[in-house]
Amino acid sequence: MSAHSRTRRRATLTATAAACVLAVTLAGCSGTTKNDTKNDTKEAASSAKADPNAPLKKGLKIAFLPKQINNPYEKIVDDAGIGAVKEFGGSGKEVGPSDAKASSQVSYINTLIQQRQDAILIAANDPNAVCGPLKQAMKQDIKVVAYDSDTAKDCRQLFINQASSEEIGRSQVQHLAKQLDYKGEIAILSATQNATNQNTWIGFMKDELKKPEYKDLKLVKVAYGDDDDQKSFQETQGLLKAYPKLKGIISPTTVGIAAASRYISDSSYKGKVVINGLGTPNQMRKYVKDGTVEQFSLWDPKKLGYLGSYAAAALASGQITGAEGEKFKAGDLGEYTIGKDGEVILGPPTVFDKNNIDDFDF
Amino acid sequence: MNTLVKYLRWDTVVGVLLIAVFLAGSGTTEGFSDTANLSAALDDTAEIALIALPMTLLVVAGQVDLSVASMLGLSSALAGSLWEAGWAFETIVPLCLLVGALGGLLNGWLVTRVGLPSLAVTIGTLTLYRGLASVVLGDKAVADFPETYSQWATYTQTVPGTFIPYPVALFGVLAVITAVVLHCTAFGRSLYAIGAQEDAAYFAGIRVKRIKLVLFVLAGFVASFAGIVFTLRYGSARADNGVGLELVVIASVLLGGVDFDGGRGTLGGAVAGVLLIGLLNNLLTLNDVSNEIQVIVTGLLLVASVLTPRVVAAVSERRHRRAATASA
């Protein structure tokens, strides 16, 4: 028995040693590192010429792929987009995963390619994880338009931006600072850690806070509610426990701001902690009326979806190719010009408060 | 009747279902049987399929490893941060595999030496490995892996002459090896013995602890390899890669008729289970069936997979008893 186990042990030792030698040898070999591979995979520029006078094609198949399908905000955007597709005689639909995971969107892109859609509109959960299949789609002449949350720049033709990211980020700090008289501890309640749009805005918020007028305003924490109502609610609770001197919360996500307001409205913090951020009027109406929230802002999501559909149709009809400076008509919204890196900006965000909130229903 | 019941094993049923789904899909849905679609659909199951192999061995031996998806994430995060730090990819891969094996060793050590149940141990390490992944890479995403590597994992490059992407081809080879080991070797038989009656297996001279340890190391190793595949396939190394994947893996294995109590099941069944979930989801997505309904369909199949063999067994047992009383 003992002799037997000794041989076993020796065999294990030998194997381990062999594995180590192998690993070291492999490590010693001069392998490929990040510095060796300069990206030389530039796609040949599309030779297609834009024809601004081309009519919108009839019967275009356009699909919306939101971050997740049961997100009320995305539903509004996509429904308005599908409505716009009907205006120009195409067929639109919304498909997508029920979780906002980076990888969940990929299989949907693959099936949309198989269904031979004319254009895919995508709000990316991860700018890179969706890139491979989107490039595959563009190779097969399916137009790709990112909206709400961008993909990497070479994986789509256009990005429909709600408002300039800089304007959104900075204005949120400006609004909250004014409400707090420029002093006190504040926190941010975001969506997922990797949401492209959230992180861009937070970047501008932090930059804005560096200005001298905010020297008494201190950002203590960025929390993540994962765009999940329950988690956002708990994160709010956690923030207020962990930072008893907290004076304000910016939640630049519709799920987060509603959950935070729900928590504050039923707690002793009501009237003491200021909530601001991005929300929809219908979700926030109650909290504006009961005094929990004074104001919040958002662009009109219906216009975002509407603009996205017309941009996709203009691409698919050959009116534009996605190059800077090209112009296209977006139905009732009028004419838009494509900016740098294929970006189209919808317009400045709207501020909602008790004076105007009843004018909006979404 | 008895012969019918004998052949009506659940793993055979899953195999038949798989063929039925494929045929129904090709007949009704445009684009389903296109090689491009099949490549993409198969590639989508690559990580699940790979991890399902050691998971089948574990479940047959009455164990489970819930930490595999977290190990996948840790491996992905490690690969991302080392790549960003300028390490060679050829060094990163063996290092990640080593970390995976060590993670598996920790699981196995806690189960066999400390004597804790695998469910409890791996719930703990599920959180631990995911936490380590967040420490390693934070909330960053590393994305600039070169095409030369990512092509190996994506469906756009397949084994020449076929529509099989490389990770799936590798899975095929490993599946055959695993099947031979499980069904044709003494080692395989000892897994069934451990799963059925651990004490009896021990007293029959089977080195129960050693074998369990090996299985956990194997699971960690394969999970970390799946982490590399995942990273290259999506071109994105992140700490939260593959969150929740462990449940899909276990669901696929159980769907394939492997008994969660251990001691029963075949590798063919488990593979059929993986492919069935993958193809069914692809088919439903192509037909614009919403994600919620897909989840319900998978859930119903799972319940059926747990229930049907028991119902069949109960029915045949009652018939036996009735036959026995009638003859008496």
Side-chain angles (χ1 to χ4, degrees):
Chain A
M1 175 77 193
S2 77
H4 182 66
S5 83
R6 205 172 299 143
T7 12
R8 282 274 182 133
R9 203 161 294 155
R10 199 171 302 147
T12 320
L13 260 174
T14 321
T16 317
C20 287
V21 169
L22 189 69
V24 170
T25 319
L26 279 168
C29 291
S30 57
T32 318
T33 66
K34 193 179 163 188
N35 299 329
D36 299 341
T37 53
K38 291 275 172 278
N39 247 346
D40 52 356
T41 49
K42 256 191 193 142
E43 306 265 327
S46 167
S47 56
K49 274 263 184 331
D51 175 10
N53 298 319
L56 283 186
K57 280 187 191 158
K58 291 282 169 211
L60 288 173
K61 280 159 74 181
I62 292 179
F64 281 81
L65 179 49
K67 287 189 199 167
Q68 61 184 124
I69 38 166
N70 39 17
N71 178 319
Y73 162 76
E74 308 247 347
K75 183 94 185 104
I76 298 161
V77 178
D78 296 352
D79 282 350
I82 293 166
V85 177
K86 281 197 193 111
E87 273 183 24
F88 51 76
S91 60
K93 66 171 179 184
E94 181 198 47
V95 295
S98 52
D99 60 67
K101 258 187 290 183
S103 51
S104 308
Q105 290 180 315
V106 168
S107 60
Y108 283 91
I109 302 170
N110 290 331
T111 47
L112 289 174
I113 296 173
Q114 287 309 313
Q115 293 174 336
R116 299 193 174 74
Q117 300 286 323
D118 293 297
I120 298 173
L121 284 123
I122 181 170
N125 281 324
D126 177 307
N128 297 299
V130 289
C131 255
L134 286 182
K135 282 184 180 163
Q136 205 61 26
M138 289 195 288
K139 260 187 212 154
Q140 303 190 24
D141 205 31
I142 296 170
K143 307 299 175 192
V144 178
V145 177
Y147 68 102
D148 190 47
S149 182
D150 202 4
T151 68
K153 287 179 179 47
D154 54 342
C155 308
R156 46 79 175 158
Q157 275 124 343
L158 288 178
F159 171 46
I160 311 296
N161 204 344
Q162 304 80 345
S164 110
S165 299
E166 179 162 3
E167 199 172 344
I168 293 178
R170 294 191 190 282
S171 70
Q172 305 215 355
V173 170
Q174 289 156 3
H175 292 160
L176 187 73
K178 218 176 271 173
Q179 287 176 287
L180 292 176
D181 253 346
Y182 294 87
K183 51 177 178 282
E185 291 186 352
I186 61 168
I188 295 171
L189 176 64
S190 179
T192 57
Q193 284 198 346
N194 297 286
T196 326
N197 52 355
Q198 300 278 330
N199 288 346
T200 314
W201 298 332
I202 292 171
F204 282 114
M205 289 183 207
K206 286 179 175 164
D207 191 62
E208 178 74 13
L209 281 167
K210 283 183 193 146
K211 292 183 181 169
E213 62 257 45
Y214 303 110
K215 64 179 191 322
D216 296 327
L217 209 57
K218 194 177 157 225
L219 177 63
V220 290
K221 167 129 184 160
V222 180
Y224 297 94
D226 292 345
D227 260 353
D228 175 272
D229 182 67
Q230 198 60 35
K231 174 116 195 277
S232 305
F233 187 87
Q234 287 162 357
E235 287 290 327
T236 311
Q237 204 171 4
L239 278 174
L240 292 165
K241 280 235 173 70
Y243 303 98
K245 286 190 285 182
L246 200 69
K247 289 284 177 271
I249 297 175
I250 299 176
S251 186
T253 160
T254 59
V255 180
I257 192 174
S261 306
R262 184 158 55 90
Y263 177 70
I264 302 272
S265 72
D266 287 337
S267 74
S268 58
Y269 299 103
K270 186 174 165 181
K272 290 176 193 146
V273 175
V274 175
I275 304 264
N276 208 325
L278 304 175
T280 69
N282 284 356
Q283 272 182 307
M284 298 299 292
R285 198 177 322 272
K286 190 166 78 184
Y287 307 116
V288 169
K289 300 232 158 147
D290 77 2
T292 309
V293 174
E294 210 175 297
Q295 53 148 268
F296 61 95
S297 43
L298 197 68
W299 50 91
D300 188 336
K302 286 185 180 169
K303 288 183 185 165
L304 180 65
Y306 189 89
L307 176 58
S309 282
Y310 271 95
L315 275 173
S317 307
Q319 287 180 354
I320 52 173
T321 62
E324 186 173 354
E326 289 175 349
K327 292 178 197 308
F328 66 97
K329 274 226 168 58
D332 300 341
L333 292 178
E335 194 174 68
Y336 279 83
T337 307
I338 301 173
K340 200 171 155 277
D341 293 326
E343 201 170 306
V344 179
I345 292 174
L346 177 65
T350 315
V351 175
F352 303 97
D353 56 26
K354 64 176 188 298
N355 298 318
N356 72 352
I357 193 162
D358 285 332
D359 302 338
F360 296 89
D361 180 23
F362 63 86
Chain B
M1 185 62 207
N2 272 342
T3 46
L4 187 66
V5 170
K6 205 172 138 198
Y7 283 107
L8 201 84
R9 292 195 331 215
W10 179 256
D11 49 352
T12 330
V13 175
V14 175
V16 172
L17 264 179
L18 177 64
I19 295 167
V21 164
F22 181 78
L23 292 179
S26 331
T28 59
T29 308
E30 196 197 346
F32 174 73
S33 53
D34 281 12
T35 52
N37 182 55
L38 291 179
S39 299
L42 283 176
D43 207 31
D44 266 343
T45 65
E47 299 85 17
I48 297 167
L50 284 168
I51 302 176
L53 297 176
M55 189 66 83
T56 305
L57 301 184
L58 276 168
V59 177
V60 164
Q63 309 296 309
V64 72
D65 185 349
L66 294 176
S67 72
V68 283
S70 298
M71 182 48 77
L72 183 154
L74 176 55
S75 164
S76 180
L78 196 61
S81 70
L82 292 178
W83 176 253
E84 204 178 42
W87 287 51
F89 202 75
E90 289 78 356
T91 317
I92 294 174
V93 174
L95 203 73
C96 285
L97 297 180
L98 185 68
V99 169
L102 286 177
L105 194 65
L106 175 63
N107 283 338
W109 184 76
L110 288 170
V111 170
T112 58
R113 303 293 141 170
V114 187
L116 299 168
S118 62
L119 197 69
V121 165
T122 56
I123 284 177
T125 51
L126 174 151
T127 317
L128 173 67
Y129 299 156
R130 188 64 74 183
L132 286 174
S134 303
V135 169
V136 167
L137 198 57
D139 57 2
K140 274 189 300 188
V142 177
D144 52 354
F145 295 95
E147 287 270 312
T148 37
Y149 292 116
S150 52
Q151 269 177 355
W152 288 99
T154 46
Y155 67 92
T156 47
Q157 180 171 304
T158 55
V159 177
T162 69
F163 60 88
I164 315 266
Y166 282 98
V168 180
L170 177 65
F171 161 74
V173 173
L174 293 179
V176 171
I177 296 173
T178 313
V180 169
V181 168
L182 181 63
H183 296 299
C184 310
T185 66
F187 180 80
R189 278 190 296 280
S190 59
L191 298 189
Y192 285 99
I194 296 171
Q197 247 306 336
E198 196 174 316
D199 292 341
Y202 177 76
F203 287 115
I206 293 172
R207 303 161 71 92
V208 174
K209 287 183 176 179
R210 173 75 62 93
I211 287 176
K212 280 196 202 168
L213 194 70
V214 167
L215 292 184
F216 279 106
V217 171
L218 210 59
F221 184 83
V222 174
S224 63
F225 181 76
I228 305 277
V229 174
F230 195 106
T231 307
L232 291 179
R233 198 156 76 83
Y234 291 110
S236 183
R238 296 156 48 126
D240 68 347
N241 271 349
V243 168
L245 203 75
E246 67 281 345
L247 294 180
V248 187
V249 173
I250 293 166
S252 307
V253 170
L254 297 188
L255 177 61
V258 181
D259 194 333
F260 197 61
D261 294 337
R264 224 174 322 177
T266 61
L267 194 84
V271 170
V274 171
L275 296 180
L276 179 61
I277 288 188
L279 272 196
L280 196 59
N281 281 342
N282 177 262
L283 180 60
L284 293 175
T285 310
L286 271 178
N287 284 303
D288 291 337
V289 175
S290 76
N291 191 279
E292 285 92 342
I293 305 291
Q294 295 190 22
V295 174
I296 292 173
V297 170
T298 315
L300 287 177
L301 268 174
L302 256 176
V303 173
S305 74
V306 178
L307 216 57
T308 314
R310 296 192 184 201
V311 171
V312 169
V315 167
S316 71
E317 193 189 336
R318 188 175 302 169
R319 188 164 294 137
H320 269 295
R321 211 176 296 153
R322 204 173 295 160
T325 37
S327 67

